[in-house]
Amino acid sequence: MCGIVGYLGGESVTPKLLEGLRRLEYRGYDSAGLATLEDGVIARRRTEGKLENLITRLRSEPLGGVAGIGHTRWATHGRPSEENAHPHAPAGATPEVAVVHNGIIENYKELRTELAAAGTKFSSETDTEVIVFLVQRELQRGATPLEAVQQTLTRLEGAFALAFLFAADENLLIAARRGSPLAVGVDTESASIGSDVLALASMTQKIAYLEEGDLAILRRGEFVCYGANGESVTRELKSVSQSNVQIGKGEYRHFMRKEIFEQPTAVGETLHSFLDPARLVATFPDLPTNAKDLRRMLSVACGTAFYAAATARYWIEAMTGIVSDVEIASELRYRKAALDDCGLALCVSQSGETMDTLEASRLLAQRGIPRVAIVNNADSTLARESDLSLLTRAGPEIGVASTKAFTTQLTLLACLALTLAEKRQTLETETLRRYAESLMELPSRLFEALELDKKIAQLAHDIAEAQHALYLGRGTLFPIALEGALKLKEISYIHAEGYAGGEMKHGPLALVDEEMPVVVLAPSGGLFAKIASNAEEVLARGGRMLLISDAEGLAAFGGKATWTLELPKVPELTQPILYALPMQLLAYHAALVRGTDVDQPRNLAKSVTVE
Ligand code: AGP
């Protein structure tokens, strides 16, 4: 994780770097720092905590110069502290080099031992610091900055993205990518580096993505790139598509709240990409496999994206008869999976940069399985490496807790299930039309669900007092229960677990007492009677219950729940998408009551680019 930026140009570098870091803060916010070069001297400012602390420090201790690098950190090696914050540079008044790093140097212990034996004094606990000392050693042996970096890279193991600043050359930045995403920008009078296009959009109009193993030399208006084998390569510069992207909160107090309320639009946009509203049929580009021959497919993802895939499994198997396995990406990577009859893989990821999902996707490619990426970033590594990429139209999601990315993933996956069913002729045309219609109605139903905001804000006061909470669902509502519990955990820090309703009697029921809030997702229809019985089991043990259903379901349950929320009645296909919204609002309001940091919860980062 971590976000890195670099800039050199005619303008003062500090505001440029800070704006870039502001856009990257979603990647980590344990500490932040800048190094700039002024009159041949590298100076640094680093602070523990959020970027705001660095900005405050820079007011009293400003940094000048027209070249520099910056970093926002998500700690892997070494606790969050000023000493461990990046940029790293050899201690002393006039460092020759400074570096910022995203990723992990796996052999840093051996390198540290080697350098310490030669007299190096380290001032941090990080894996990164070995890099600056290796580069400095090469510079002192007479190497040019490029040679020093090239030599150092041969010593490093692991996955990383790096940006270097050199005291000897104010018109030079060097960037290297091995395993972690990195892009560069080049304009006539400037050059820049960023972990993602959002950061670069504040600094440049033209960007190029570095490929695996690339080393980039950047000067004002100039960009030279060497590929993994050291040969000179061309990386196409493209106009920045997201330069106008607004990443402000607008009228909203938090990004998460803004993103929750953007869902009717985001889902609508996604539907427009994948459903023809006139003909009511799904419209997809050709899949990299013949749908008619498909017997088995596999979805891989992490966290919330995994729950989207887990929901889609119910749809795909019911509508198409294709065996649809779902696996947590980090688990698939390290087991001997039997995949011989798997004809298609879906790799689901908002960022398209999650390391575990990327590595799972690469493993599937090695096994010869065609891969479809479902991403929210068209230029992401996962999108570029897949056989086909399908874009959710959520727009930038900044809050760490995934909201609109989740519901747009579900929307896209529902459309995908329809197209597979159509190609395989496993559903009647009329049924397909009905499903498409229910999806088209979804944005309006989501608007209605958002009207529950005030009521949820009130009952969140009671939920926020709890130490633990349970979420129950059945069928497609089971993954939504898991997602609801994840939302509550990650932003309010209340311990929560999701269960399939039928599992309660096999153990978790023992947890229920009058202190334990139990959230039950119980839309009327198919499985209502089953989940209602599970809810009765909870009430019989004195549990406090939040029942979420439609008017019909609430009437059938007869006023026995402690709290209720009424959603519009929708067909089974769209229930999981609709029921995700009150889960998000409940977590949001519980977090507000508890005073936690909603957009940047402790210990987490938005994009997890380490294992
Ligand atoms: C959920 O709120 C989290 N942000 C997290 O579980 C996230 O969904 C997971 O890290 C996967 O991220 P991705 O979709 O970018 O791959």
Side-chain angles (χ1 to χ4, degrees):
M1 318 232 281
C2 306
I4 68 182
V5 286
Y7 182 81
L8 58 86
E11 296 176 54
S12 169
V13 71
T14 300
K16 289 275 181 195
L17 294 176
L18 287 177
E19 175 56 21
L21 288 184
R22 193 175 70 77
R23 290 164 175 250
L24 285 176
E25 217 186 355
Y26 74 87
R27 299 177 74 92
Y29 33 81
D30 294 339
S31 55
L34 297 185
T36 67
L37 181 60
E38 190 173 28
D39 300 329
V41 176
I42 291 177
R44 291 183 291 162
R45 300 286 179 270
R46 299 176 296 160
T47 51
E48 189 185 333
K50 299 239 177 123
L51 184 58
E52 213 41 54
N53 298 350
L54 179 65
I55 294 171
T56 308
R57 168 80 63 84
L58 284 163
R59 277 194 206 110
S60 54
E61 299 170 45
L63 279 180
V66 292
I69 53 178
H71 189 267
T72 177
R73 179 169 187 246
W74 185 81
T76 55
H77 295 75
R79 74 210 140 82
S81 68
E82 186 167 330
E83 302 77 59
N84 290 335
H86 299 217
H88 285 284
T94 54
E96 291 171 67
V97 59
V99 69
V100 286
H101 165 216
N102 167 30
I104 293 175
I105 307 301
E106 283 169 3
N107 60 334
Y108 84 100
K109 282 197 182 134
E110 298 100 90
L111 294 170
R112 216 172 147 104
T113 309
E114 174 191 318
L115 287 160
T120 299
K121 299 260 177 293
F122 289 93
S123 53
S124 82
E125 304 154 322
T126 66
D127 52 339
T128 308
E129 209 182 353
V130 296
I131 302 170
V132 280
F133 284 111
L134 288 171
V135 173
Q136 178 176 263
R137 188 165 75 180
E138 294 303 320
L139 291 173
Q140 287 170 349
R141 286 173 180 167
T144 63
L146 174 60
E147 290 164 349
V149 171
Q150 281 174 323
Q151 180 55 31
T152 298
L153 290 177
T154 64
R155 304 291 318 277
L156 305 181
E157 289 167 19
F160 49 80
L162 301 167
F164 295 92
L165 177 71
F166 296 90
D169 193 341
E170 119 174 335
N171 188 21
L172 174 69
L173 291 175
I174 295 183
R177 174 193 168 148
R178 199 190 289 165
S180 298
L182 200 59
V184 298
V186 190
D187 285 313
T188 1
E189 291 301 323
S190 70
S192 42
I193 300 168
S195 290
D196 73 14
V197 69
L198 210 57
L200 278 169
S202 62
M203 301 187 269
T204 185
Q205 294 299 312
K206 294 268 183 205
I207 65 140
Y209 289 93
L210 297 190
E211 301 283 336
E212 228 4 67
D214 278 1
L215 178 67
I217 322 294
L218 294 153
R219 298 179 187 281
R220 282 180 197 93
E222 199 185 312
F223 162 42
V224 175
C225 193
Y226 298 100
N229 301 324
E231 76 292 5
S232 172
V233 290
T234 307
R235 300 287 174 234
E236 193 191 345
L237 283 163
K238 296 182 189 161
S239 293
V240 185
S241 54
Q242 298 196 35
S243 56
N244 293 325
V245 161
Q246 295 298 316
I247 59 156
K249 291 184 210 140
E251 70 201 75
Y252 294 94
R253 186 168 159 199
H254 296 102
F255 280 110
M256 183 185 179
R257 184 165 176 79
K258 174 170 174 266
E259 288 155 6
I260 289 173
F261 279 80
E262 282 171 348
Q263 289 178 104
T265 315
V267 165
E269 300 265 333
T270 306
L271 284 171
H272 277 119
S273 288
F274 298 105
L275 258 193
D276 179 336
R279 294 188 301 126
L280 286 175
V281 291
T283 50
F284 274 81
D286 286 341
L287 298 176
T289 189
N290 183 350
K292 281 202 168 146
D293 299 337
L294 257 185
R295 292 289 160 267
R296 184 177 165 205
M297 57 192 280
L298 169 66
S299 300
V300 290
C302 305
T304 293
F306 173 77
Y307 297 140
T311 310
R313 168 196 213 168
Y314 289 83
W315 292 327
I316 293 170
E317 294 204 345
M319 288 189 211
T320 72
I322 302 166
V323 177
S324 176
D325 296 327
V326 187
E327 182 133 5
I328 291 173
S330 55
E331 284 300 308
L332 181 76
R333 288 181 64 183
Y334 297 109
R335 75 182 184 90
K336 287 190 179 138
L339 298 168
D340 289 349
D341 56 344
C342 180
L344 180 69
L346 305 180
C347 305
V348 188
S349 170
Q350 187 280 131
S351 60
E353 301 294 352
T354 300
M355 177 65 81
D356 284 321
T357 310
L358 265 173
E359 288 297 336
S361 163
R362 288 168 184 157
L363 182 144
L364 292 163
Q366 281 164 19
R367 305 285 287 269
I369 298 168
R371 294 151 307 142
V372 175
I374 294 175
V375 290
N376 194 37
N377 177 357
D379 298 318
S380 59
T381 311
L382 187 64
R384 286 181 289 127
E385 288 187 7
S386 297
D387 300 296
L388 172 69
S389 82
L390 302 173
L391 190 64
T392 51
R393 302 281 170 175
E397 191 182 67
I398 307 295
V400 164
S402 185
T403 53
K404 60 178 180 170
F406 180 58
T407 45
T408 53
Q409 283 162 353
L410 288 171
T411 303
L412 193 159
L413 287 161
C415 294
L416 185 64
L418 292 193
T419 207
L420 288 171
E422 189 192 351
K423 286 183 198 307
R424 292 165 67 84
Q425 298 173 328
T426 43
L427 288 181
E428 302 285 328
T429 311
E430 191 39 45
T431 312
L432 281 170
R433 280 178 66 84
R434 208 161 22 83
Y435 284 158
E437 244 163 25
S438 66
L439 283 166
M440 292 308 286
E441 281 174 14
L442 193 54
S444 313
R445 301 290 90 79
L446 295 176
F447 265 122
E448 291 170 45
L450 291 173
E451 285 168 15
L452 291 172
D453 183 47
K454 275 207 180 76
K455 187 164 183 196
I456 294 175
Q458 277 163 10
L459 69 87
H461 284 272
D462 292 329
I463 305 289
E465 283 170 9
Q467 296 299 311
H468 311 274
L470 293 177
Y471 285 69
L472 307 184
R474 275 179 176 258
T476 55
L477 276 304
F478 167 42
I480 304 304
L482 294 170
E483 168 64 3
L486 176 65
K487 285 285 90 83
L488 193 71
K489 277 187 269 217
E490 73 177 328
I491 61 166
S492 75
Y493 316 151
I494 297 171
H495 171 232
E497 298 300 334
Y499 284 100
E503 275 294 286
M504 284 299 284
K505 55 189 175 294
H506 299 293
L509 206 49
L511 294 170
V512 173
D513 59 17
E514 49 290 342
E515 301 293 315
M516 173 74 88
V518 182
V519 180
V520 182
L521 308 178
S524 64
L527 291 171
F528 178 80
K530 301 286 173 203
I531 190 79
S533 308
N534 304 138
E536 295 283 4
E537 290 157 14
V538 168
L539 287 178
R541 271 90 189 161
R544 297 186 299 159
M545 181 179 302
L546 167 58
L547 184 71
I548 308 182
S549 186
D550 45 45
E552 198 179 314
L554 292 178
F557 205 69
K560 286 174 275 183
T562 322
W563 313 276
T564 57
L565 288 174
E566 184 184 325
L567 285 168
K569 184 170 167 62
V570 293
E572 278 179 32
L573 175 66
T574 52
Q575 285 171 353
I577 310 179
L578 182 71
Y579 278 64
L581 266 63
M583 302 294 91
Q584 299 163 353
L585 285 168
L586 183 61
Y588 174 77
H589 285 295
L592 285 192
V593 175
R594 290 172 73 105
T596 54
D597 189 336
V598 170
D599 283 334
Q600 297 178 332
R602 69 183 180 202
N603 307 339
L604 300 180
K606 181 77 180 159
S607 187
V608 188
T609 58
V610 293
E611 254 200 82

